[in-house]
């Protein structure tokens, strides 16, 4: 695949489900110009979180749910990426224990 085709594929991956299924990472970039903190997270745990909570998975809606872990600014810029997740904490459940807690909360 050429770089251009690859770029278009990422540009078309506009919901967390598609990104998780494709095995892409999710780039989360703070839009506060004084901060600019960027993370690459695994899309799968975030997809699980959306499913458990019944959230809309389109990236435009996800922006509304997330905020910068460094400065707290809302509306980070979300984008599919080929880069592997960074070593920071995942967004969403990654262990059975976290899953159980999440499902309990979602029901209660
Ligand atoms: Zn920030």
């Amino acid at each position: 695949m050429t770089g251009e085709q690859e770029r278009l594929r990422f540009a078309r991956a506009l919901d967390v489900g598609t990104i998780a299924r494709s095995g892409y990472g999710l780039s989360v970039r703070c839009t506060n110009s004084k901060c600019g903190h960027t993370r690459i997270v695994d899309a799968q745990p975030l997809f699980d979180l959306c499913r458990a909570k019944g959230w809309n998975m389109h990236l435009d809606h996800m922006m509304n749910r997330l905020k910068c872990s460094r400065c707290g600014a809302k509306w980070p810029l979300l984008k599919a990426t080929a880069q592997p997740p960074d070593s920071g904490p995942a967004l969403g459940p990654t262990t059975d224990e976290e899953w159980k807690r999440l499902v309990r909360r979602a029901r209660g």
Side-chain angles (χ1 to χ4, degrees), residues 8-61:
L8 281 172
R9 266 176 54 160
F10 289 132
R12 286 196 199 103
L14 288 175
D15 72 273
V16 175
T18 303
I19 296 169
R21 258 201 318 279
S22 310
Y24 300 155
L26 185 68
S27 143
V28 184
R29 186 158 59 90
C30 180
T31 49
N32 174 356
S33 58
K34 293 193 191 81
C35 173
H37 184 49
T38 302
R39 288 209 50 206
I40 311 290
V41 299
D42 188 354
Q44 187 64 48
L46 188 60
F47 173 64
D48 292 336
L49 181 69
C50 291
R51 248 185 347 177
K53 294 197 175 268
W55 288 351
N56 186 315
M57 297 199 196
H58 196 282
L59 292 187
D60 286 350
H61 290 263

Side-chain angles (χ1 to χ4, degrees), residues 93 95-107:
T95 64
D96 283 355
E97 187 48 42
E98 285 173 349
W99 249 117
K100 279 180 206 146
R101 241 181 295 152
L102 178 67
V103 171
R104 268 202 301 270
R105 266 207 307 267
R107 281 191 191 131

